[in-house]
Amino acid sequence: MDISKEKLLEDLGSMFAPDSVVTEVTALEDHDSDNNKYAKAHGIYPSSMPVCILNVESTEEVAAALKYFNEHGVSVIPRTGASSYEWLLTATDENTVILDASAMNRILRVDYENMCATCQCGVPLNTLEEILQKNGFTTGHSPQSLPVAQMGGLVATRSIGQFSTYYGAIEDMLCALEAVMPDGNVVRIRNVPRRAAGPDLRSLFLGSEGALGFITEVTVKIFKYYPDSFWRGGYIVPDMKTGFKIIRDIMAAGYRPSVVRLYDKDDFDYNFGVVSLEEGEAYMFFVAEGPPGIAQATGEAVDRISRKEGGRYIGYESVDHWLVHRNDLCDRFKDTEVLEKHRQLKVFYATTEISASYTDIVEIYENVKNNIPRKIDGLVFVGGHVSHAYQTGVNIYFVYMIKVEDPEKYVGIHQAIIDGICEEVLAMETGGCVHHHGMGKQRVKFAPREHGSSYSLLRDIKKMADPNGIMNPGVLVQRPEKD
Ligand SMILES: Cc1cc2nc3c(=O)[nH]c(=O)nc-3n(C[C@H](O)[C@H](O)[C@H](O)COP(=O)(O)OP(=O)(O)OC[C@H]3O[C@@H](n4cnc5c(N)ncnc54)[C@H](O)[C@@H]3O)c2cc1C
């Protein structure tokens, strides 16, 4: 940065409305929200303190801010719903401004004829979803963070929802967007049904983690909503391996239930607990939706395949319980009670999501379950569940709880478990060490191995889009000095 912090604040104060520039200490300490909540509960702030939070209200304001930051070498972290993990929002240098666009919250158009909706980047997904459902439609996008995440962040993290196996993830829904590049140039990708005019430029922004440009407007597909034709069913299976096989067979046969979930006992007992499992058993459930005939046929096939492989049908009450409570975590997301619990119990709970082919997933799952407890002191449990299924494989969402007596050691211990899981995943040919939360600053060290020889392309793209390296430094690609 070629100016002092005082000059930066003075300039921003004259360029923007005075109350747009926030320097209040508690807001700065919480700039990365849920990240490092355990450490913060103990008064430890592992991140750098940003200079300020700048609240913007229009594309023009985003452009003016970025142009100024680019000229003066000010690091900038784009922010919308502030619900991400993996240190995506965590400032790692002191000359950082958090550029918050949650006030850009207008739904610009819902086009029922052409089945798409256009929103500013700060529209909460839930707001759009509620409007659509009242009219018999849905975004089909339902991450657990539905009540808090906003459109810009959902694209920038390559997010995925709980009904993804039917509707797809955000990359299947994104039609068009507007973004501001670091030099202030505004680019728009037009909405056409399909385009073969070279590489798909939407991909530059999907999963870009705020490192390439600032997304200001998003157009997504919408779908007809059929809540009355939901089919659902829960099954207990002898073990996780059987569960993986059932999912594989359903997908390989061409069926697309919207929800596909498989829990091991550790994860299930902590997060669910409404059904009793014997040691080693696993619980799985499915939802099928869509036009009535399709939902029913999909449900019947799921049931047939599950029973054939030894699944014991246990009805749908447990599924309904999940449908009602699936996003409860968001109610407690910024809760002071959670902080108090961290202080008293000195335990933290976190997750790491990965993916792999049907061939490799069993070994990855077993290696993590066997090896992580040996490597991590204070581990209370590590469990896992599948929540997204594909033709070629599945994800696993590893969940774990750790007792950390000395909060100063929290960052190192959390990083050690993330590293341990990523090592197990990357040891397998088809293992992907980031399924949907983004690389952030916690997993970026694995980017060269995750991408292999194509990592050089990603670095070149970063240099091309953001030559001065101001956009969320330390995500997506390692900072240059670490390459
Ligand atoms: C309880 C809980 C449950 C969750 N469940 C899921 C889930 O089911 N599926 C899932 O995919 N994720 C989930 N997440 C993670 C998170 O909600 C998603 O990553 C979400 O997409 C982030 O959106 P956001 O608006 O909060 O983005 P933010 O947290 O504000 O930002 C996320 C990233 O995107 C960048 N960014 C934000 N806005 C812009 C913009 N306008 N232009 C460019 N870059 C931008 C930021 O710099 C940052 O790197 C969950 C999180 C929580 C707390």
Side-chain angles (χ1 to χ4, degrees):
M1 186 162 92
D2 67 4
I3 45 170
S4 66
K5 288 183 188 172
E6 291 70 28
K7 172 79 173 126
L8 170 62
L9 289 172
E10 188 188 318
D11 285 352
L12 294 181
S14 62
M15 289 166 68
F16 299 93
D19 60 358
S20 311
V21 185
V22 177
T23 54
E24 190 204 338
V25 174
T26 47
L28 298 186
E29 283 175 348
D30 200 35
H31 72 274
D32 61 342
S33 199
D34 207 41
N35 291 286
N36 302 312
K37 194 177 246 178
Y38 176 83
K40 289 175 192 168
H42 293 92
I44 297 164
Y45 296 91
S47 55
S48 299
M49 208 54 76
V51 182
C52 66
I53 297 162
L54 177 61
N55 292 306
V56 279
E57 295 189 5
S58 66
T59 300
E60 292 71 30
E61 286 196 351
V62 174
L66 288 186
K67 190 165 183 299
Y68 173 87
F69 297 146
N70 198 38
E71 279 166 8
H72 294 289
V74 180
S75 299
V76 49
I77 302 184
R79 189 174 83 174
T80 48
S83 69
S84 55
Y85 294 124
E86 315 299 328
W87 285 33
L88 276 164
L89 294 173
T90 303
T92 52
D93 82 64
E94 286 192 350
N95 303 321
T96 298
V97 173
I98 305 295
L99 193 57
D100 188 299
S102 48
M104 292 177 67
N105 57 7
R106 278 187 303 130
I107 296 175
L108 301 173
R109 185 173 186 218
V110 181
D111 180 348
Y112 293 109
E113 170 72 14
N114 297 298
M115 300 292 281
C116 57
T118 301
C119 303
Q120 287 188 307
C121 60
V123 168
L125 177 58
N126 213 13
T127 305
L128 178 62
E129 184 63 25
E130 279 174 9
I131 289 171
L132 290 177
Q133 285 199 14
K134 273 189 199 133
N135 291 288
F137 293 83
T138 175
T139 59
H141 202 42
S142 186
Q144 192 185 31
S145 53
L146 174 77
V148 280
Q150 300 176 3
M151 299 310 283
L154 288 159
V155 173
T157 52
R158 216 173 240 279
S159 60
I160 192 165
Q162 293 148 328
F163 304 102
S164 68
T165 309
Y166 181 72
Y167 294 105
I170 193 76
E171 63 268 25
D172 305 303
M173 300 162 174
L174 181 69
C175 304
L177 59 79
E178 177 191 80
V180 183
M181 301 312 286
D183 62 2
N185 188 31
V186 179
V187 295
R188 289 185 73 83
I189 299 175
R190 291 190 306 124
N191 181 9
V192 300
R194 183 171 188 269
R195 175 182 282 125
D200 188 345
L201 296 176
R202 289 171 297 188
S203 298
L204 274 183
F205 298 95
L206 282 159
S208 56
E209 301 185 9
L212 302 178
F214 199 107
I215 301 156
T216 43
E217 194 184 295
V218 168
T219 302
V220 287
K221 292 175 193 168
I222 63 172
F223 300 84
K224 184 94 184 81
Y225 190 46
Y226 297 97
D228 299 330
S229 67
F230 272 39
W231 177 95
R232 65 259 193 246
Y235 302 82
I236 293 177
V237 288
D239 48 37
M240 288 292 279
K241 197 173 172 184
T242 305
F244 292 129
K245 164 93 168 67
I246 289 172
I247 295 173
R248 186 256 162 218
D249 287 355
I250 289 169
M251 298 301 288
Y255 296 103
R256 294 293 176 267
S258 57
V259 179
V260 173
R261 292 180 90 98
L262 165 69
Y263 287 76
D264 75 6
K265 182 169 163 56
D266 285 313
D267 186 341
F268 185 78
D269 286 351
Y270 180 75
N271 280 311
F272 229 113
V274 290
V275 177
S276 168
L277 293 181
E278 298 296 325
E279 206 53 52
E281 283 184 338
Y283 168 70
M284 61 196 313
F285 68 85
F286 305 88
V287 176
E289 60 186 283
I294 290 179
Q296 198 53 34
T298 304
E300 282 167 16
V302 163
D303 185 64
R304 190 174 61 246
I305 294 169
S306 301
R307 289 177 198 257
K308 180 170 163 272
E309 294 298 328
R312 182 156 47 90
Y313 180 71
I314 57 163
Y316 53 77
E317 292 75 11
S318 57
V319 190
D320 287 348
H321 175 86
W322 177 83
L323 283 166
V324 172
H325 294 287
R326 65 201 159 92
N327 298 337
D328 284 0
L329 197 57
C330 290
D331 296 342
R332 303 179 56 77
F333 172 52
K334 289 172 183 162
D335 202 344
T336 47
E337 265 179 51
V338 177
L339 298 178
E340 192 46 44
K341 207 168 149 193
H342 280 324
R343 282 185 209 110
Q344 283 176 9
L345 302 179
K346 294 207 169 163
V347 291
F348 78 90
Y349 170 84
T351 62
T352 299
E353 16 64 55
I354 62 96
S355 71
S357 67
Y358 290 105
T359 308
D360 289 344
I361 199 71
V362 180
E363 200 168 329
I364 289 174
Y365 170 73
E366 286 173 355
N367 289 347
V368 168
K369 291 282 284 189
N370 292 331
N371 297 338
I372 294 299
R374 285 206 290 267
K375 290 183 185 165
I376 306 293
D377 288 340
L379 186 77
V380 180
F381 75 86
V382 56
H385 65 261
V386 172
S387 44
H388 306 279
Y390 308 95
Q391 184 113 348
T392 54
V394 286
N395 84 311
I396 290 187
Y397 206 87
F398 285 112
V399 303
Y400 39 87
M401 186 179 268
I402 307 177
K403 189 160 181 70
V404 180
E405 290 295 349
D406 178 0
E408 293 278 358
K409 294 193 174 149
Y410 154 80
V411 170
I413 293 174
H414 191 192
Q415 190 65 53
I417 191 163
I418 293 171
D419 291 357
I421 292 173
C422 290
E423 289 293 349
E424 298 294 353
V425 174
L426 289 170
M428 304 300 288
E429 193 185 335
T430 67
C433 69
V434 182
H435 179 262
H436 64 265
H437 280 170
M439 291 298 251
K441 285 135 203 151
Q442 286 184 307
R443 282 187 277 186
V444 73
K445 68 203 264 192
F446 294 103
R449 285 164 65 194
E450 173 67 36
H451 294 290
S453 54
S454 62
Y455 180 60
S456 63
L457 278 178
L458 194 58
R459 271 193 321 201
D460 290 346
I461 289 168
K462 169 73 178 173
K463 273 185 217 142
M464 178 272 300
D466 179 24
N468 296 336
I470 61 160
M471 301 295 295
N472 206 354
V475 301
L476 211 62
V477 293
Q478 291 181 297
R479 299 185 95 155
E481 66 271 20
K482 298 203 172 137
D483 271 347

